Amino acid sequence: MQRKIIPAAAFAVAAALALSGCAGSGGDSGSGGGGDIVVGSVNTISGAATFPEASQAAAAVFDAFNEAGGLNGRKISYKALDDKGDPATATASAREIVGSDGAVAMVGSASLIECDLNAKYYAQEGILSIPGVGVDTGCFDNTDTISPANVGPFNDLTLTLLYGSEELKLDDICVLLEIAGSTRPAYQAAIDKWTEITGKKPLYIDDTVPYGASDYTPYIVKARQQGCKALAINPVEPDAIGQVKAANAQGWNDVTWLYLTSVYSENFAKAIDDAGAGIYVPAEFYPFTEDSDINKEWRDLMTKNNIPLTSFSQGGFLAATYFIEALKKVDGDVTRESVSKAIKAMDPIENPMVGDPYTFGTIPTAGWPIVLKSGTHAWEKIADDWLRIP
């Protein structure tokens, strides 16, 4: 297929380019009509590990689209629900949005658990999901129904291990894992992929690290006793801060941290004084802490709406932008069926914010290496191009 390049600000001109088909939703299959186009998302907004920025960013994109006239005057009605990290709430939320509200698509979701729980229901109802931040295994194992905008934690773990061993030439890398739901095998597969590529194995793996612990000292002390020189870990931002500070308190100032994109934020950088031998991350989207026009449209929209500048908001922004590009291609009434057809028929979308063109059903594999050094309180780009899994 021919690749199509669209600017990140596509939503701002979507109304002018929209097709003349009717738009609307309602009924069990999001049937066409004259009402709003219902789009939804299920998110973990409260609980031990949260991802609120993705749906906030998607909502900002849709608000801008509506302010620009929508799709020939039809507006997107966006409903983002909080699953609280609870399975019953996650399944009930999906059924409320899809079954009761008649959504035509799920866009911008970011949840610890919802993909795994709702993938079969989405397939049954003929609705597609473009998460802003895919987290659990279901986001990446059900590519006919779910296709996130981000690389995801599993490929992210492989990338950070690759950078540590192949670029930084680190030995004695240990892996500490925070496990949610049934993600343990997927993380092991990510480690095994690194081993297959490099022939190297972790010195030590601890998969008992909890989300939201009040004190990470026991896990850090144990890793140090094992002889670890570098730690590859998959936490969310508050947990990572606690882990680094636990190492600081133990005087472990020569450890290298190989984190995931989930810790990449300005707040995290401000919170860290002693980064040991450095905190390295393969950013899933183009580094937003760089002074570049690549992220300008996203940054301006987030700043206008007081949304934190994080990789999560980048993912939500892109998911909504991709959806609007598909919405413009709908032939006739905007229904669940016509929207799903348009999403799957889209040519690959190239955007400088990502290393791989977006195609529904394809998992991205590129990250941009960045580092946080001690005393700088600022992330720094340390590569001239994307790092990719071979």
Side-chain angles (χ1 to χ4, degrees), residues 67-81:
E67 290 171 5
L71 187 69
N72 286 334
R74 270 69 174 191
K75 306 296 180 66
I76 290 176
S77 176
Y78 186 55
K79 185 170 186 177
L81 297 183

Side-chain angles (χ1 to χ4, degrees), residues 223-238:
R224 190 179 188 183
Q225 291 173 344
Q226 293 291 326
C228 305
K229 302 300 183 186
L231 300 179
I233 322 181
N234 66 326
V236 289
E237 179 185 304

Side-chain angles (χ1 to χ4, degrees), residues 88-300:
T89 304
T91 55
S93 297
R95 281 151 182 78
E96 178 179 334
I97 294 169
V98 177
S100 299
D101 297 328
V104 299
M106 303 293 284
V107 180
S109 297
S111 166
L112 276 174
I113 55 175
E114 85 94 9
C115 289
D116 215 17
L117 294 169
N118 293 323
K120 289 183 179 178
Y121 175 68
Y122 293 155
Q124 172 188 315
E125 297 299 316
I127 192 169
L128 300 184
S129 175
I130 306 176
V133 181
V135 180
D136 67 73
T137 55
C139 299
F140 305 95
D141 290 345
N142 299 277
T143 53
D144 286 342
T145 303
I146 303 173
S147 186
N150 68 318
V151 170
F154 313 114
N155 278 341
D156 212 1
L157 180 59
T158 301
L159 285 168
T160 201
L161 286 167
L162 280 172
Y163 193 82
S165 67
E166 305 312 295
E167 299 297 327
L168 299 178
K169 306 301 180 183
L170 296 171
D171 295 317
D172 298 331
I173 299 175
C174 298
V175 178
L176 277 59
L177 296 174
E178 298 185 359
I179 300 300
S182 59
T183 56
R184 181 61 178 89
Y187 280 117
Q188 186 60 54
I191 296 168
D192 293 344
K193 187 182 296 184
W194 168 65
T195 297
E196 179 183 349
I197 296 168
T198 65
K200 301 173 183 178
K201 295 183 179 181
L203 175 66
Y204 163 73
I205 299 177
D206 183 354
D207 60 5
T208 68
V209 183
Y211 280 104
S214 59
D215 183 10
Y216 285 98
T217 300
Y219 306 95
I220 297 300
V221 169
K222 189 175 181 180
R224 190 179 188 183
Q225 291 173 344
Q226 293 291 326
C228 305
K229 302 300 183 186
L231 300 179
I233 322 181
N234 66 326
V236 289
E237 179 185 304
D239 294 359
I241 293 172
Q243 292 159 11
V244 174
K245 289 188 178 298
N248 296 161
Q250 296 298 313
W252 194 7
N253 57 12
D254 60 350
V255 61
T256 300
W257 303 88
L258 303 174
Y259 275 132
L260 308 190
T261 311
S262 50
V263 310
Y264 177 35
S265 74
E266 292 179 331
N267 287 334
F268 179 83
K270 291 176 182 176
I272 300 300
D273 295 316
D274 183 354
I279 297 173
Y280 294 84
V281 169
E284 295 186 6
F285 309 106
Y286 187 83
F288 61 80
T289 46
E290 292 294 312
D291 185 13
S292 170
D293 287 341
I294 289 175
N295 286 315
K296 185 179 187 307
E297 301 298 337
W298 161 79
R299 180 184 292 274
D300 289 349

